[in-house]
Amino acid sequence: MDEAKARGLDFNHVSGFAGRPLLPEITGSGAALADIDGDGDLDAYLVQAGSLHPGEPSARLGNRLFLNQGGRFVEAAAAHGAGDTGYGMGVAAGDYDNDGDVDLYVTNVGPNVLYRNDGSGRFEDVSAAAGVDDPSWSTSAVFADFDADGDLDLFAANYIHWAIEAELNCYSGSVLTYCPPQNYNAPARDRLYRNNGDGTFTDVSAASGISRVFGNGFGVVGADFNDDGLTDLFIANDQMVDQLWLNRGGLKFDEVASLWGCAVDEHGLAKAGMGVAAADVDRDGDTDVMVTNITGQTDSFFRNEGTFFSDVTGEMGLALTGRYTRWGVVLKDFDNDGYLDLYEANGMVGTEALTKGLDFDEPNVLYRGTERGRFQEVQPLGGVAPALEDTSRGVAVGDVDDDGGLDLLVANRDGRAYLLMNQVSKRGNWLRFRVTLDSPDRDAYGATVSALVGETRVFRDVRPEGSYLASSEPTVHFGLGSETEVRDVRVRWPGNRRDETQSFGTFAANQTVILRRTGGTAGDGV
């Protein structure tokens, strides 16, 4: 159920709609769950839009930070320095300067902002000095160690070249509505920044090959799709072919989505790619991809076959998903039965909303993962009662109350944010791993944890990005069902191949364990 207000998380998004539709108003915004103040629990950062009209009172609304204090949230004054007043889209969280705390990168319609954490949960704007204040319309962003040199690089997806002066008028009948992106014919180049290790970044978009291709980028996820130890990128593009960038080393990338069978769906259709999630859903050791799309189109579930993807959307039970417009998407085990479930955040965008008087609200949906390898829709819709209907966009996931059940933070356009606390009855046993490097002491983004759960080896990645405009808790979560332990826990560290793993042994269920690259472990048995 939604406990945002009861737990002190009071946030209302403002799109700034003032009669004439402006395209960015319908696309945002996002949120992050991260341990901002370093006290061991998850804080919430919510991205605000405001208004694209400078003279409007809401034009200077800022992003907001809520600090978790024992399961309740207290708002940080002025977001502790991270209250950016740009027209916000999304956020990425990661320790880019290797000092042991979580920094934030905020994407905007206009200059993006990098906030450096001083170690106490207070921030300094270092965007210009770091060289990452891209003035484009950026959407989702990713911190990842793409060159495997020990620090986090940065990728930002850009949507279209847009300005209020060049906004188009689109109609459904006689009603003015939001235009689809293809009407602008202005896809953008994405940005890749190399971390220089001194607090600055170098734009390597051209040298890496990333800028060779245009797109209407929305959702982004990084993962090692071809199992060579390097982090690749999958980008969901709106009404254009999706992109799969394979990392060839040395910050060189090749775009291979068509060759790998994931640029379009099985019918050759380029869909309205919005959110994206990556996980080993079929438990075969490689990373599958899920892309959400607009009403009238099914989602796209691409199963990783090792050297290509198969579109198995129908086989996964998702052939009828097109009744809503889906954005944020999460593949996690919410009932701790050992099988990944699927949560989708929904909300309309254009002409289909006109019959409701420009009310874009829709219910979100929850699917249970099954032993047969298919998803089954959960009732009531979204797994909540009473039902909730808003115009949902970004979704972040994490264990807010540290009880072994994964919770959800949902950002809603022109509405209040949800904090959906996991109240699944008869949840199974669980085990969580925080995976850290030894030097620096930060979360090992890009690492993979595997363990024997019963007789099955299960793989989970340390990955905060994905969904849509959001950043999630990087702690690795295993649902165990009735199993009381996991055996032969192994970690493949960033940059290593599959056979290059470190072993950690056996762990009892229902605790959070820290796995350090030096070989040390720590548990807080529950």
Side-chain angles (χ1 to χ4, degrees), residues 7 19 74 120 183 268 278 287 309 318 324 332 344 346 361 377 405 421 466 469 502 513:
R7 290 179 179 263
V74 175
S120 69
N183 285 31
T287 303
F309 286 99
L318 300 174
Y324 304 121
K332 294 289 183 179
E344 296 182 333
N346 304 325
D361 296 349
E377 187 173 309
M421 301 302 295
L469 307 180
Q502 183 177 356
V513 176

Side-chain angles (χ1 to χ4, degrees), residues 24 45 79 83 145 151 157 220 255 260 264 315 343-345 351 379 383 390 397 405 442 446 450 483 503 510 520:
Y45 184 82
D145 188 1
D151 51 31
V220 178
E255 204 291 299
W260 273 59
V264 296
E315 296 175 34
Y343 183 88
E344 296 182 333
T351 55
Q379 295 292 333
D390 273 286
V397 60
R442 65 164 174 81
S450 69
E483 298 291 334
S503 296
N510 302 326

Side-chain angles (χ1 to χ4, degrees), residues 3-4 6-9 39 41-42 67-74 399-402 419 421:
E3 297 185 13
R7 290 179 179 263
L9 206 162
D39 65 353
D41 53 25
L42 292 177
L67 300 178
N68 189 340
Q69 298 184 357
R72 288 186 55 83
F73 291 87
V74 175
D399 188 355
V400 170
D401 53 358
D402 198 28
L419 181 64
M421 301 302 295

Side-chain angles (χ1 to χ4, degrees), residues 71-410:
R72 288 186 55 83
F73 291 87
V74 175
E75 184 170 3
H80 279 181
D84 179 46
T85 57
Y87 196 89
M89 285 281 118
V91 57
D95 182 10
Y96 83 93
D97 54 356
N98 282 344
D99 64 352
D101 51 44
V102 176
D103 310 300
L104 298 172
Y105 186 68
V106 178
T107 59
N108 290 315
V109 181
N112 298 335
V113 180
L114 177 63
Y115 285 114
R116 181 182 180 275
N117 192 331
D118 70 359
S120 69
R122 297 180 182 276
F123 293 91
E124 177 188 3
D125 181 349
V126 296
S127 316
V132 293
D133 53 342
D134 183 3
S136 307
W137 174 0
S138 299
T139 52
S140 298
V142 174
F143 279 115
D145 188 1
F146 293 111
D147 53 3
D149 67 349
D151 51 31
L152 295 176
D153 309 299
L154 177 63
F155 176 88
N158 288 327
Y159 187 54
I160 65 171
H161 294 289
W162 181 90
I164 191 170
E165 297 81 7
E167 181 59 279
L168 304 176
N169 290 331
C170 294
Y171 293 86
S172 177
S174 61
V175 179
L176 195 63
T177 188
Y178 292 100
C179 298
Q182 58 265 41
N183 285 31
Y184 299 86
N185 192 28
R189 288 186 175 98
D190 300 326
R191 297 286 186 184
L192 178 63
Y193 300 96
R194 182 188 67 226
N195 192 328
N196 298 323
D198 60 0
T200 68
F201 291 82
T202 297
D203 187 342
V204 294
S205 307
S208 67
I210 292 289
S211 65
R212 289 198 304 263
V213 181
F214 294 86
N216 299 323
F218 264 158
V220 178
V221 68
D224 183 7
F225 294 108
N226 61 347
D227 201 32
D228 65 352
L230 299 173
T231 299
D232 311 305
L233 281 165
F234 186 96
I235 305 167
N237 284 309
D238 188 8
Q239 303 291 356
M240 295 183 68
V241 295
D242 295 330
Q243 296 166 12
L244 174 62
W245 291 98
L246 290 187
N247 189 339
R248 302 305 191 187
L251 285 177
K252 303 292 184 181
F253 289 79
D254 288 332
E255 204 291 299
V256 298
S258 294
L259 291 174
W260 273 59
C262 57
V264 296
D265 72 1
E266 62 183 336
H267 305 294
L269 176 66
K271 295 178 180 176
M274 292 172 171
V276 59
D280 182 15
V281 177
D282 57 358
R283 308 205 295 183
D284 66 349
D286 50 29
T287 303
D288 311 303
V289 175
M290 169 81 182
V291 184
T292 57
N293 297 298
I294 200 169
T295 184
Q297 300 175 351
T298 67
D299 292 326
S300 295
F301 189 97
F302 296 111
R303 185 176 64 206
N304 194 332
E305 309 289 0
T307 56
F308 64 94
F309 286 99
S310 295
D311 184 341
V312 295
T313 306
E315 296 175 34
M316 298 299 293
L318 300 174
L320 299 177
T321 55
R323 65 194 188 279
Y324 304 121
T325 293
R326 291 88 62 203
W327 299 81
V329 55
V330 171
L331 287 167
K332 294 289 183 179
D333 187 355
F334 294 109
D335 55 4
N336 292 346
D337 67 348
Y339 301 97
L340 294 179
D341 310 305
L342 169 66
Y343 183 88
E344 296 182 333
N346 304 325
M348 290 181 276
V349 295
T351 55
E352 79 276 23
L354 297 175
T355 58
K356 301 178 69 177
L358 289 179
D359 179 358
F360 298 92
D361 296 349
E362 291 183 315
N364 298 339
V365 292
L366 174 66
Y367 296 86
R368 177 181 292 111
T370 67
E371 187 176 0
R372 295 191 305 135
R374 294 172 60 87
F375 292 108
Q376 295 179 342
E377 187 173 309
V378 173
Q379 295 292 333
L381 286 174
V384 294
L388 297 170
E389 288 198 20
D390 273 286
T391 308
S392 297
R393 294 296 185 255
V395 180
V397 60
D399 188 355
V400 170
D401 53 358
D402 198 28
D403 68 347
L406 292 175
D407 311 302
L408 293 167
L409 176 61
V410 182

